[in-house]
């Protein structure tokens, strides 16, 4: 069976105020063409279809168009909700849409109920594991402590239990939206850390033939059977070195996996340039970036006049301007933002406690802080979905 694995469309998202809807529509067209020309048997979409729980109307219309075009091909599509989606909204009408061959899996309770497709070698069971917010699903899965590994492991136990009831030789595919150990993150993914831990081990997916992952925006291979497709378009300058692709996966009669990366169309390349403004304006090595979307980091010791306008004369698609004057890290003039760069909310709070009272929090206090941060994040998720 030939699968096309994609994820993280983020319909409705902009790139530094650039409307990406046209590029997202072009990707949908590319996806449909690929399904038709490469004889794809099933499409899997591993979450974050939308960029937010209540997407703009134009994004909903594009999603509707995508569903119609996929259904018209007569090729089954299995799709899960991600941490950016409202699972309940995305799942509205799932039962009716299911009849058209579009299988939306957004309910945690249905993790162990697969979509079963057939090829000449027998059945393939597709299990959809939507994004599982630990604080919201721990009771569903009967785990005592809310954590990503615990709830995902419990969901996979249901998958393996169902698979054990099926005919010998039944092949299996799991769609999941999670941060798996070994994956490389970028700046455009929403933090899903719980209890100080975001990642789960790849071994949680043992027992299935292929795990089609979503959440991380870079296409990557965790193991031969566990892969991220990545986002089809760039959504931050941290993705400058990404090659935007989908996975074309051939699932053999014996469950063997052969995967090929297929490039996605991107509207422009990304470039990060750095240095003194006057140097950036004349450096011949930067000529290749003149039509790219550019993030420029200026290291001038004194902020130059009209930097964005001057950069735009050479790099008309400059979207981001960062100032990082050449100073020692302990220089008192180093910006607050630079001092906090790369530090988690937990670390910043602990530093504040140490600053105020002269000593950092003890283990019990660290646990209290972590519980509060987890509770606030879970509450934000509930509020967003309820809007």
């Amino acid at each position: 069976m030939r699968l096309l694995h994609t994820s993280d469309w983020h319909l409705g998202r902009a790139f530094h105020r650039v409307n990406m809807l046209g590029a997202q529509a072009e990707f949908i067209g590319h996806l449909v063409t690929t399904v038709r020309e490469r004889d794809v048997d099933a499409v899997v979409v591993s979450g974050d279809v939308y960029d937010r729980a209540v997407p703009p109307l134009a994004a909903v219309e594009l999603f509707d168009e995508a569903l119609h075009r996929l259904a018209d091909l007569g090729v089954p599509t299995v799709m899960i909700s991600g941490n950016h989606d409202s699972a309940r909204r995305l799942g509205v009408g799932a039962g009716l849409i299911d009849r058209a061959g579009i299988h939306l899996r957004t309910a945690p309770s249905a993790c162990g109920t697969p979509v079963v497709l057939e090829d000449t070698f027998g059945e393939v069971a597709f299990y959809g594991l939507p994004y599982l917010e630990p604080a919201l699903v721990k009771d569903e899965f009967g785990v005592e402590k809310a954590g990503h590994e615990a709830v995902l492991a419990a969901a996979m136990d249901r998958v393996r239990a169902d698979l054990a009831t099926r005919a010998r030789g039944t092949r299996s595919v799991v769609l999941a939206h999670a941060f798996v150990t070994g994956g490389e993150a970028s700046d455009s993914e929403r933090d899903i850390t719980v209890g100080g831990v975001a990642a789960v081990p790849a071994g949680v997916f043992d027992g299935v033939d292929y795990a089609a992952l979503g959440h991380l925006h870079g296409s990557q291979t965790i193991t031969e059977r566990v892969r991220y497709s990545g986002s089809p378009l760039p959504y931050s300058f941290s993705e400058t070195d990404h090659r935007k692709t989908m996975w074309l996966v051939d699932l053999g009669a014996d469950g063997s996996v052969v995967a090929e990366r297929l490039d996605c169309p991107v509207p422009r390349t990304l470039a990060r340039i750095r240095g003194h403004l006057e140097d950036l304006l004349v450096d011949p090595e930067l000529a290749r970036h003149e039509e790219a979307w550019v993030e420029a980091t200026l290291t001038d010791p004194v902020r130059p006049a009209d930097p964005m306008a001057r950069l735009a004369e050479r790099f008309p698609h400059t979207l981001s301007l960062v100032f990082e004057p050449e100073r020692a890290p302990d220089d008192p003039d180093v910006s607050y933002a630079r001092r906090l760069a790369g530090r988690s909310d937990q670390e910043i709070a602990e530093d504040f406690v140490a600053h105020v009272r002269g000593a950092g929090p003890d283990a019990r206090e660290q646990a209290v802080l972590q519980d509060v941060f987890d509770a606030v994040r879970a509450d934000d998720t509930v509020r967003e979905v309820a809007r």
Side-chain angles (χ1 to χ4, degrees):
M1 184 172 287
R2 173 163 285 184
L3 318 176
L4 188 62
H5 168 201
T6 178
S7 72
D8 295 273
W9 295 356
H10 288 278
L11 300 182
R13 185 166 186 160
F15 180 75
H16 287 268
R17 301 178 304 282
V18 173
N19 188 321
M20 296 289 278
L21 203 65
Q24 291 168 341
E26 185 178 356
F27 162 69
I28 296 299
H30 171 72
L31 171 71
V32 171
T33 299
T34 301
V35 171
R36 184 174 56 248
E37 294 183 350
R38 297 301 297 266
D39 296 321
V40 171
D41 297 307
V43 177
V44 295
V45 186
S46 300
D48 281 354
V49 174
Y50 292 122
D51 188 55
R52 55 184 184 268
V54 185
L57 179 59
V60 177
E61 291 173 338
L62 180 56
F63 178 60
D64 181 63
E65 178 188 341
L67 294 189
H68 277 84
R69 295 179 70 178
L70 288 168
D72 287 345
L73 292 173
V75 175
T77 297
V78 185
M79 183 178 296
I80 62 172
S81 50
N83 62 301
H84 280 250
D85 299 309
S86 164
R88 292 176 64 185
R89 281 191 174 86
L90 188 63
V92 168
L96 187 61
I97 295 171
D98 194 78
R99 300 179 191 177
I102 307 293
H103 308 283
L104 298 174
R105 291 297 181 262
T106 62
S109 59
C111 285
T113 305
V115 176
V116 180
L117 305 178
E118 291 189 41
D119 63 8
T120 55
F121 301 110
E123 294 186 341
V124 180
F126 290 78
Y127 297 90
L129 278 56
Y131 173 66
L132 302 173
E133 176 61 49
L136 304 183
V137 302
K138 66 182 183 68
D139 293 337
E140 165 67 33
F141 292 105
V143 298
E144 293 184 6
K145 186 172 177 59
H148 288 292
E149 183 174 354
V151 297
L152 196 53
M156 282 301 302
D157 284 343
R158 293 188 184 183
V159 169
R160 284 184 284 264
D162 179 83
L163 196 55
T165 68
R166 300 190 174 273
R168 184 178 179 84
T170 298
R171 289 156 292 161
S172 54
V173 175
V174 165
L175 290 73
H177 197 86
F179 191 161
V180 174
T181 303
E184 183 177 344
S186 61
D187 292 343
S188 52
E189 297 126 8
R190 183 179 294 171
D191 181 32
I192 60 171
T193 302
V194 174
V197 179
V200 299
V204 76
F205 298 108
D206 287 351
V208 297
D209 294 309
Y210 185 70
L213 302 183
H215 180 57
L216 300 184
H217 288 183
S219 177
Q220 47 202 298
T221 299
I222 305 301
T223 72
E224 287 304 305
R225 296 183 181 274
V226 180
R227 298 172 187 265
Y228 283 99
S229 68
S231 61
L233 292 166
Y235 293 114
S236 75
F237 278 102
S238 64
E239 300 168 54
T240 298
D241 295 328
H242 286 190
R243 175 186 163 197
K244 295 301 182 182
T245 59
M246 301 178 287
W247 285 111
L248 188 69
V249 178
D250 285 324
L251 189 63
D254 59 352
S256 58
V257 170
V258 177
E260 176 188 356
R261 287 179 73 183
L262 304 182
D263 290 301
C264 296
V266 293
R268 290 186 186 278
T269 58
L270 307 185
R272 278 177 153 171
I273 60 177
R274 181 185 182 90
H276 288 201
L277 177 59
E278 296 299 335
D279 295 335
L280 298 180
L281 296 177
V282 298
D283 187 347
E285 290 295 317
L286 300 181
R288 67 187 188 278
H289 299 317
E290 289 177 353
E291 294 303 317
W293 279 326
V294 169
E295 178 182 75
T297 299
L298 301 185
T299 60
D300 302 70
V302 177
R303 184 178 299 226
D306 299 322
M308 183 62 97
R310 296 172 66 189
L311 278 166
E313 291 178 2
R314 184 180 187 190
F315 307 103
H317 305 289
T318 301
L319 300 181
S320 175
L321 187 58
V322 181
F323 293 97
E324 290 188 4
E326 294 170 337
R327 297 191 178 108
D330 57 352
D331 188 313
D333 289 331
V334 170
S335 72
Y336 182 68
R338 286 183 63 188
R339 292 199 300 273
L340 297 184
R343 300 184 68 75
S344 67
D345 291 342
Q346 175 86 10
E347 291 170 330
I348 294 169
E350 291 177 7
D351 287 349
F352 176 75
V353 172
H355 173 73
V356 169
R357 73 180 189 191
D362 58 26
R364 183 186 63 81
E365 293 167 331
Q366 289 175 336
V368 169
L369 285 171
Q370 188 63 68
D371 287 345
V372 170
F373 281 121
D374 289 347
V376 168
R377 194 177 57 79
D379 185 61
D380 285 345
T381 300
V382 172
R383 288 174 181 274
E384 184 174 8
V385 171
R387 284 173 56 194

